[in-house]
Amino acid sequence: MSGPDDKKPIDFIRTIIEQDIERNLNGGRVVTRFPPEPNGMLHIGHAKSICLNFGIAAQYSNARCHLRFDDTNPEKEEMAYIHSIQEDVRWLGFDWGSHLYFASDYFERLYELAEVLIHKGMAYVCSLCAEDMRTYRGTLTQPGQESPYRNRSVAENLAMFRAMRAGEYPDGSHTLRAKISMASPNINMRDPTLYRIRRAHHHQTKDAWCIYPTYDYTHCISDALEGITHSLCTLEFEDHRPLYDWILDQLKEEIGCHPQQIEFSRLELEFTVMSKRILTTLVQQRHVSGWDDPRLPTIAGLRRRGYTPASIRNFCSLIGITKAPNHVEMALLENCLREDLEINAPRAMAVLDPLRVVLENLPEDHLEELIVANHSQSEAFGTRMVPLTREIFIERDDFAENPPKGYKRLVLGGEVRLRHAYVIRCERVTRNPQTQAIETLHCQVDWATMNKAPEGRKVKGVIHWVSAQRHGKAHVHLYDRLFSVPQPTDNKGGGTFLDHINPGSLTVLEDRPVEESLARAQLGEHFQFERLGYFCLDSRDSKPGHLVFNRSVSLRDSWAKGEKKA
Ligand code: ATP
Ligand code: MG
């Protein structure tokens, strides 16, 4: 058996999985899991892991993927994150069916298994304080030192561990540790902590526990209890794999399942940050408006910005799964969105920097209802009515008094086509008497040019426009990179990521003229504003009668050419 359409597996993990299916390992079953800690919202890096784990489950016939919250740090976790993570995974297009779990579901079982380890002489209660524990641990170059409590008897360990659970000791006074080797070159194997005393309220188990298992102890056992076959995680856990295996080896008879841990590289995206600790700082210190700020790489931020699930899934499939460093340019993510919206977003017109144009050969009350296609490539998008009136707005930079060489748009005495309408000629300009800035262009419409090239001359430029007499208004948010350097957390020269925040990452344009038809725009709809980019309504700030559009992405990658703005 192999993957769909008998194609070659697309990455080294699927290669392993297909070999395992072939030799009927685990009875041919494949069970993966996505195991977030509910201590923050998901980001695009998590999407990589979600697409991998749920993607594998969807790809093979005898496969499934669990969603499991690794909730061993109650002080940092919140119900709100539990809800948002489920929403985000679903929004990305994945489904865990009935397989929603919490590591805290296993607290009782984890406790029993810890007693088993004590009985086997594989775990002991240690009474070193945190500081001594650190000193005894040693360093990368120096072996650790054995704890003076390492040789407590099984009976004493058991009695003390039970007393820990019963709340007889203060927080932090004792720990339960695995008895492995303080001389191991791998620090993770130097008698790692399995349990600590912490009187913390837990969102699931409430106040039932005053001792909590550590991540390393909990994760492998949770995987095994759920019958996970392939435990896929990021490379920083490679050094933890010996511990993952050690714990499950000690508990072979009790659990009888030993998932295979396989590591792949984390996604790092340029000009942004991915660690939840740093994202939390940005949110809490109000450098951004919240976890769903459209400049953040969180799933909620990307969704609010206008990213589609398909564009993110496509991105994850393009970056692939390897063990090599995975530093990816933002442009790749943006391109995935463009590709999706190019095909799927209807077109509309808006003017962000309006310059008034009077079409002088139109009567004052001229109203021409143009029926225009919503998508030039696909009739399925239908048509809409765009009113043409005597006064219109065009973009200020679509007119040039001193045009640079090769300028194809409007100049004094020159012609340009209004998108979906006529060719116009600019006859004269009027200026603000004080500032001398151009206030109005006075133009003539060539009536013979609707859907037709003008006779005897070429007009190359086509510009977008909006009626000045019949339009809606919208606030428009334009976004730039949140950081001004590709790797904001790389602070070899001192400072922190906060020093690299781009002060110009958000531009708010108020009351800009947009086509009337956009008043009917719905949350979740995407539009191409012709020549300006792809936009969607802001899910937080936009209200009926008060439109706020976010620019999801510009039409071209302006960064590739070294320009700052599209
Ligand atoms: P952070 O470092 O941002 O706090 P984390 O790894 O602690 O992230 P978890 O909630 O533990 O966050 O992550 C759940 C799963 O998502 C883990 O299996 C983790 O390996 C994976 N993951 C997290 N960040 C990335 C990333 N940047 N690229 C790929 N996978 C990731
Ligand atoms: Mg983690």
Side-chain angles (χ1 to χ4, degrees):
M1 230 178 91
S2 64
D5 311 327
D6 282 336
K7 274 192 217 140
K8 279 214 162 90
I10 50 178
D11 57 60
F12 79 98
I13 292 182
R14 285 171 166 91
T15 303
I16 294 173
I17 287 179
E18 294 190 10
Q19 286 163 356
D20 289 349
I21 294 173
E22 191 117 12
R23 61 194 172 113
N24 204 32
L25 191 75
N26 309 303
R29 273 178 315 114
V30 177
V31 186
T32 56
R33 84 285 172 272
F34 173 64
E37 275 177 70
N39 60 352
M41 289 178 57
L42 297 182
H43 52 61
I44 183 83
H46 293 115
K48 174 176 179 177
S49 176
I50 292 169
C51 289
L52 174 66
N53 282 292
F54 283 96
I56 285 170
Q59 180 176 350
Y60 300 102
S61 53
N62 200 358
R64 64 172 196 258
C65 179
H66 298 182
L67 174 61
R68 179 175 71 239
F69 289 101
D70 258 334
D71 53 349
T72 55
N73 271 310
E75 292 110 318
K76 295 203 171 141
E77 298 163 5
E78 283 176 30
M79 280 309 291
Y81 296 138
I82 291 178
H83 293 136
S84 80
I85 288 170
Q86 295 184 55
E87 182 190 355
D88 289 349
V89 175
R90 274 200 207 97
W91 180 79
L92 281 170
F94 299 107
D95 183 8
W96 51 89
S98 58
H99 298 285
L100 174 66
Y101 303 102
F102 291 82
S104 55
D105 295 343
Y106 313 128
F107 279 176
E108 191 62 45
R109 185 76 183 122
L110 287 160
Y111 177 86
E112 290 166 14
L113 293 167
E115 288 206 353
V116 169
L117 289 178
I118 293 174
H119 276 293
K120 291 184 176 177
M122 293 301 173
Y124 62 96
V125 173
C126 179
S127 310
L128 288 177
C129 67
E131 208 190 309
D132 285 344
M133 188 99 115
R134 256 193 305 280
T135 335
Y136 275 71
R137 184 172 299 135
T139 63
L140 284 176
T141 49
Q142 279 184 326
Q145 235 181 301
E146 291 191 354
S147 160
Y149 305 99
R150 197 173 199 258
N151 296 313
R152 276 177 167 146
S153 68
V154 168
E156 190 184 356
N157 281 322
L158 212 49
M160 287 189 77
F161 188 48
R162 288 177 183 167
M164 280 169 65
R165 176 179 186 171
E168 290 171 25
Y169 302 123
D171 282 14
S173 54
H174 307 283
T175 54
L176 184 74
R177 296 176 69 178
K179 199 175 199 172
I180 309 180
S181 163
M182 292 310 290
S184 173
N186 182 342
I187 293 193
N188 296 299
M189 298 298 272
R190 294 184 190 165
D191 291 10
T193 303
L194 306 180
Y195 269 88
R196 52 248 194 281
I197 307 175
R198 203 182 281 178
R199 284 169 177 74
H201 182 79
H202 190 287
H203 46 94
Q204 304 299 311
T205 57
K206 313 297 174 201
D207 298 307
W209 295 88
C210 64
I211 57 172
Y212 287 100
T214 54
Y215 176 85
D216 277 331
Y217 176 64
T218 308
H219 191 74
C220 53
I221 296 179
S222 305
D223 277 352
L225 292 174
E226 289 176 17
I228 301 299
T229 57
H230 299 82
S231 179
L232 313 178
C233 61
T234 35
L235 271 174
E236 71 273 19
F237 290 104
E238 197 167 27
D239 289 346
H240 296 240
R241 181 165 16 106
L243 178 55
Y244 185 105
D245 288 335
W246 184 91
I247 294 172
L248 293 182
D249 283 343
Q250 308 313 308
L251 298 169
K252 210 179 281 164
E253 296 115 65
E254 288 75 17
I255 310 183
C257 169
H258 193 135
Q260 181 182 358
Q261 174 177 314
I262 307 172
E263 308 87 14
F264 60 95
S265 47
R266 284 176 97 78
L267 166 67
E268 306 282 353
L269 197 56
E270 287 188 344
F271 292 98
T272 189
V273 291
M274 217 86 92
S275 130
K276 278 190 281 196
R277 184 180 55 77
I278 295 181
L279 292 171
T280 306
T281 307
L282 290 172
V283 172
Q284 284 177 351
Q285 297 186 3
R286 298 184 182 276
H287 298 288
V288 293
S289 63
W291 281 97
D292 65 350
D293 189 295
R295 292 164 294 181
L296 289 182
T298 51
I299 303 299
L302 293 169
R303 175 167 60 228
R304 188 170 155 202
R305 173 82 167 252
Y307 273 81
T308 59
S311 66
I312 295 176
R313 290 195 304 265
N314 187 32
F315 170 76
C316 290
S317 109
L318 284 178
I319 60 175
I321 298 288
T322 66
K323 283 184 184 282
N326 193 206
H327 291 273
V328 178
E329 287 179 29
M330 189 68 94
L332 186 65
L333 179 62
E334 293 178 340
N335 246 329
C336 290
L337 182 60
R338 282 188 198 105
E339 272 180 24
D340 182 357
L341 297 181
E342 162 65 18
I343 297 168
N344 293 309
R347 280 37 173 172
M349 293 195 287
V351 175
L352 300 186
D353 186 10
L355 174 61
R356 184 175 295 271
V357 174
V358 179
L359 304 173
E360 302 212 298
N361 56 339
L362 266 53
E364 298 273 343
D365 61 351
H366 183 87
L367 174 64
E368 195 171 343
E369 299 194 335
L370 304 172
I371 303 301
V372 310
N374 288 332
H375 198 300
S376 57
Q377 313 295 314
S378 164
E379 282 182 13
F381 285 86
T383 59
R384 68 188 188 281
M385 192 279 283
V386 175
L388 177 68
T389 54
R390 178 179 157 93
E391 291 194 15
I392 62 171
F393 292 121
I394 66 169
E395 251 7 289
R396 194 161 277 277
D397 70 2
D398 280 337
F399 176 81
E401 255 194 309
N402 304 301
K405 202 162 171 274
Y407 190 79
K408 294 202 182 78
R409 293 161 285 163
L410 197 55
V411 298
L412 197 56
E415 287 182 306
V416 78
R417 178 178 292 280
L418 296 179
R419 180 76 173 138
H420 302 300
Y422 304 96
V423 169
I424 61 170
R425 170 187 298 276
C426 181
E427 310 267 270
R428 67 192 169 89
V429 305
T430 46
R431 297 172 187 276
N432 178 306
Q434 263 99 54
T435 65
Q436 294 302 303
I438 294 176
E439 269 185 347
T440 307
L441 304 184
H442 300 267
C443 300
Q444 294 279 326
V445 164
D446 180 347
W447 291 113
T449 55
M450 176 60 89
N451 298 324
K452 259 207 321 238
E455 247 168 65
R457 59 202 198 274
K458 278 211 170 96
V459 175
K460 284 202 182 135
V462 182
I463 63 174
H464 60 275
W465 56 278
V466 169
S467 163
Q469 290 150 285
R470 288 264 312 258
H471 63 265
K473 277 189 177 159
H475 289 7
V476 177
H477 294 174
L478 304 179
Y479 299 101
D480 199 348
R481 310 281 193 255
L482 184 55
F483 292 94
S484 45
V485 296
Q487 277 154 39
T489 49
D490 185 10
N491 285 294
K492 292 196 188 88
T496 74
F497 63 95
L498 293 173
D499 300 322
H500 303 301
I501 291 185
N502 171 9
S505 60
L506 169 63
T507 305
V508 177
L509 305 176
E510 297 190 339
D511 291 328
R512 303 299 145 136
V514 301
E515 247 183 60
E516 271 182 340
S517 66
L518 287 169
R520 295 189 298 273
Q522 300 288 314
L523 268 186
E525 280 185 304
H526 303 270
F527 299 91
Q528 185 193 99
F529 288 179
E530 299 213 29
R531 301 175 63 230
L532 297 174
Y534 294 98
F535 293 76
C536 67
L537 285 181
D538 186 275
S539 55
R540 200 189 273 203
D541 297 341
S542 199
K543 306 269 174 320
H546 174 78
L547 301 178
V548 181
F549 281 100
N550 289 329
R551 178 152 71 184
S552 313
V553 66
S554 59
L555 287 185
R556 264 166 290 112
D557 176 14
S558 55
W559 278 64
K561 290 178 240 89
E563 308 162 26
K564 275 258 335 189
K565 278 232 160 131

